[in-house]
Amino acid sequence: MTSPQRPRKVPLEKLHGLELPAAADMHVHLREGAMTELVVPTIRRGGVNTVFVMPNLVPPITTVKHCLAYRETLESLEPNVTFLMSLYLHPNISPETVIEAKRAGIAGIKSYPHGVTTHSDHGVMSYEHFYPVFEEMERQDMVLNLHGELPPSAGKDITVLNAEEAFLPTLLDLHQRFPKLRIILEHCTSAAAIEAVKSCGPTVAATITAHHLFLIVDDWAGDPHAFCKPVAKLPSDRRALLKTAVSGDSKFFFGTDSAPHRAETKRADRVAAGVFTQPHAVGFVIDALEQGVEMGVIRAADVTKEKLENFLSGFGRSFYKVEDTRKERIVLSKPSDAVENLLRSADGSVEVVPFRRAKMTWGVSWR
């Protein structure tokens, strides 16, 4: 006779029924075509109504016209989400492009070092060429979004495990040269990155993903659906991220870096880098914080309504100077459902495997 399963312990049960402002996810990949049609409707499922959209399409978004056309497509699929748009830092980007982008309401320009991640073939080889662009971005008060890794071609024994830390002197140099330029170090994965951001002035901030609050190197080394760039690092780095997420430090806020890939590319000889978290964006953060409590890294008392509101919504909106005009609210519910094993487009042409498939997760509903 099979004994009944014990109910899952819920260390943060106090959060059940908690009402929060809708989340602002300040780093998402929404792709193109059938993948976009599959992914965009999952944004609100995750408790999010504002997103900052990455520009690394094929070809990359390097013109204002392309950017606005993409935003129109996204808004047609989900009119109840605010899409903050970006351009891809590229030799085609000039100071005049920056002025045009600002007038069009584009929020930032994203830098990808050449060859470090998905669709970074047109990425930056040297930042010096873009100094006039950064000067104009300062004047126009636009955000520079940095994928903070050095490519292997930079030498110096660069690997996926130290590429982020090796990039940090570049972050500090850019901040010193352009102290009024708002800079975001995207998807921090290391204690070193957190300390570097803390050492900078108020114009430098960073995003933290949900999946990096869960993962260490051992996890993605055995699971292609947990493999992303930058990769998760050491247990000490994960502990630093968990502590930072509930620190109340306004320099750090939520950005999932949710990056869907076709399921077959996660089984290929060369695995695509990206983790798909969008449908459970807020729930995964609560799950990770629960694990942090269970591990003794943070205390349940550290996970307060105020800190969750700020990390998930307030700090990011404030840094981007974006008002929450929708004033929507979400309600947390303790785990009762498992993450789906697979998401499939209506015509069956696209399949995506989500992060933490088949695992129980916190739920989100709209008030």
Side-chain angles (χ1 to χ4, degrees):
M1 182 176 177
T2 305
S3 58
Q5 284 190 329
R6 293 181 179 180
R8 176 189 155 184
K9 183 181 179 183
V10 185
L12 293 179
E13 190 163 4
K14 65 176 185 176
L15 301 183
H16 178 68
L18 181 67
E19 185 178 302
L20 298 170
D25 183 349
M26 295 309 191
H27 189 129
V28 302
H29 294 270
L30 301 178
R31 306 304 193 206
E32 300 171 88
M35 180 69 83
T36 301
E37 294 173 5
L38 174 64
V39 170
V40 168
T42 71
I43 295 171
R44 288 182 65 88
R45 276 185 56 194
V48 173
N49 74 355
T50 301
V51 294
F52 182 78
V53 184
M54 294 298 114
N56 57 332
L57 307 185
V58 181
I61 299 176
T62 61
T63 68
V64 171
K65 182 179 179 180
H66 187 181
C67 189
L68 297 183
Y70 186 41
R71 182 173 67 187
E72 186 176 333
T73 297
L74 300 176
E75 290 174 342
S76 71
L77 292 170
E78 180 46 270
N80 295 312
V81 168
T82 299
F83 296 95
L84 307 177
M85 306 305 291
S86 63
L87 298 178
Y88 185 113
L89 190 64
H90 182 275
N92 290 349
I93 301 289
S94 67
E96 291 72 27
T97 310
V98 173
I99 294 170
E100 183 187 5
K102 178 68 174 182
R103 288 174 178 166
I106 295 170
I109 298 180
K110 175 68 184 293
S111 165
Y112 293 90
H114 179 76
V116 298
T117 190
T118 302
H119 301 159
S120 61
D121 299 349
H122 300 278
V124 174
M125 301 290 286
S126 170
Y127 284 96
E128 290 183 21
H129 172 79
F130 296 103
Y131 287 175
V133 172
F134 298 157
E135 289 172 358
E136 191 60 49
M137 290 179 70
E138 271 191 316
R139 285 190 286 270
Q140 298 298 328
D141 193 27
M142 288 188 72
V143 175
L144 174 63
N145 306 85
L146 297 176
H147 181 117
E149 292 187 286
L150 282 189
S153 59
K156 306 174 187 176
D157 291 328
I158 301 299
T159 74
V160 293
L161 288 175
N162 64 9
E164 181 178 81
E165 189 165 356
F167 179 85
L168 298 177
T170 301
L171 166 68
L172 299 177
D173 179 67
L174 289 174
H175 178 49
Q176 183 178 27
R177 291 177 185 274
F178 307 100
K180 295 181 181 179
L181 177 61
R182 285 185 289 153
I183 299 174
I184 296 178
L185 183 64
E186 299 289 350
H187 39 51
C188 283
T189 65
S190 64
I194 290 170
E195 292 307 313
V197 171
K198 286 181 178 178
S199 74
C200 295
T203 55
V204 177
T207 54
I208 295 176
T209 77
H211 57 276
H212 285 123
L213 294 175
F214 279 102
L215 300 173
I216 62 172
V217 58
D218 292 356
D219 298 311
W220 61 260
D223 181 359
H225 300 291
F227 174 65
C228 58
K229 293 285 192 73
V231 300
K233 306 296 193 303
L234 305 179
S236 57
D237 295 307
R238 183 193 177 198
R239 291 194 294 271
L241 293 171
L242 285 164
K243 290 177 181 177
T244 302
V246 294
S247 67
D249 188 332
S250 62
K251 280 178 164 287
F252 301 92
F253 47 84
F254 185 43
T256 59
D257 188 23
S258 178
H261 288 279
R262 290 174 178 267
E264 60 267 25
T265 68
K266 283 293 192 176
R267 299 189 291 265
D269 291 338
R270 187 172 180 82
V271 175
V275 172
F276 180 49
T277 56
Q278 204 71 68
H280 305 281
V282 170
F284 283 156
V285 172
I286 307 303
D287 291 335
L289 295 178
E290 277 202 319
Q291 286 193 8
V293 171
E294 291 173 333
M295 293 159 49
V297 175
I298 58 175
R299 301 172 305 149
D302 295 327
V303 187
T304 65
K305 179 180 180 181
E306 179 183 10
K307 288 180 177 178
L308 288 175
E309 287 181 345
N310 285 328
F311 177 70
L312 293 170
S313 182
F315 290 157
R317 295 183 194 274
S318 177
F319 191 85
Y320 275 94
K321 302 181 181 180
V322 176
E323 186 179 352
D324 181 14
T325 57
R326 297 178 184 274
K327 304 296 183 184
E328 293 180 297
R329 311 286 289 182
I330 57 174
V331 180
L332 303 180
S333 56
K334 59 186 178 181
S336 60
D337 293 312
V339 176
E340 50 273 87
N341 283 294
L342 190 75
L343 274 76
R344 182 181 291 110
S345 62
D347 64 1
S349 65
V350 176
E351 294 181 339
V352 181
V353 178
F355 183 60
R356 288 180 60 78
R357 58 201 182 279
K359 300 284 181 63
M360 299 295 289
T361 188
W362 276 76
V364 172
S365 59
W366 291 87
R367 184 182 171 189

